[in-house]
Amino acid sequence: VPQVRVSAENYTYIETNSTQALRVHYPTSNSDEKLSSLTATFQSVENAIMAEDSVDSLTGKSLSELIDIDSWARKYLMEEISANWDACSVSQYFYSDGADPSGRIYASPVWDYDNTLGNKNAFGTENPQMLYGNFEYVRDDLYTPWFYHLYRKDEFYNKVVQLYQSEFLPAFESAIETDLYDYADMIS
């Protein structure tokens, strides 16, 4: 469970109602007021993610008002494509861009990909025929409640499909057709 990891290291963290623990990196000087505000923000995000109508019933804000759907969809795709063992449950970065007056939460940067691309044999990730989202660990409401519920929302799902078709798939095709050969030449 994620909160065990952050509490064991004595990190400053907040926790949502679904027990999603979030370590607070910045600002480094966290007052009770700041932590309370962060908790309320992320709880609002969680409420909208889990609500059938994608609206936090406490604030009245919709999911698209609370998060940057594009960055969250990209993050999901990175986890899926890389078969990240930590996908959507631990080692996730989220931030709020001070220049964005909406205060939406962004999912980025990607990091901690040491257990990806078959490097972790748990859950059969060494099988290239199986996308990671098909594994119960990622599909489960208990371990990955945010992405579990997001994937079931049309707005998020459609963004994932659109990004995959318009950006990710062409990049893979380019890599297969030319980039891999160029890298091989460079390495040799």
Side-chain angles (χ1 to χ4, degrees):
V1 181
Q3 68 267 31
V4 171
R5 292 176 76 170
V6 291
S7 63
E9 298 294 329
N10 201 26
Y11 294 131
T12 300
Y13 73 100
I14 60 174
E15 189 174 326
T16 64
N17 291 343
S18 74
T19 69
Q20 179 63 55
L22 298 146
R23 179 181 172 196
V24 179
H25 287 274
Y26 304 103
T28 54
S29 58
N30 291 298
S31 66
D32 288 342
E33 184 179 312
K34 284 182 183 176
L35 291 177
S36 180
S37 176
L38 279 172
T39 301
T41 296
F42 277 96
Q43 188 58 59
S44 185
V45 167
E46 179 175 286
N47 293 346
I49 287 172
M50 294 187 173
E52 191 151 328
D53 64 357
S54 301
V55 175
D56 175 14
S57 63
L58 299 176
T59 65
K61 289 188 175 183
S62 69
L63 188 59
S64 60
E65 291 175 289
L66 294 165
I67 69 171
D68 177 68
I69 300 284
D70 190 80
S71 67
W72 285 61
R74 288 173 191 282
K75 176 68 169 158
Y76 178 86
L77 279 164
M78 287 300 300
E79 303 294 5
E80 176 74 14
I81 291 164
S82 67
N84 188 1
W85 188 74
D86 290 329
C88 309
S89 63
V90 296
S91 298
Q92 308 295 298
Y93 259 99
F94 301 100
Y95 71 93
S96 178
D97 182 354
D100 181 352
S102 73
R104 289 180 302 162
I105 303 296
Y106 291 77
S108 184
V110 296
W111 76 293
D112 193 14
Y113 280 67
D114 57 332
N115 291 320
T116 61
L117 301 172
N119 193 36
K120 181 76 173 179
N121 288 332
F123 309 109
T125 55
E126 71 281 355
N127 179 357
Q129 302 302 313
M130 175 74 97
L131 289 178
Y132 197 65
N134 292 330
F135 290 102
E136 186 173 337
Y137 181 77
V138 176
R139 294 184 284 132
D140 195 284
D141 188 23
L142 176 63
Y143 293 107
T144 61
W146 289 2
F147 282 93
Y148 172 87
H149 287 280
L150 277 172
Y151 192 73
R152 285 151 180 78
K153 297 192 176 296
D154 288 341
E155 179 180 18
F156 182 78
Y157 179 84
N158 291 336
K159 179 54 81 171
V160 167
V161 169
Q162 181 262 318
L163 287 171
Y164 180 77
Q165 291 174 343
S166 67
E167 295 178 23
F168 284 75
L169 186 57
F172 294 140
E173 290 171 343
S174 175
I176 291 168
E177 291 169 9
T178 59
D179 296 348
L180 291 177
Y181 298 107
D182 292 344
Y183 291 135
D185 289 343
M186 186 181 353
I187 291 169
S188 66

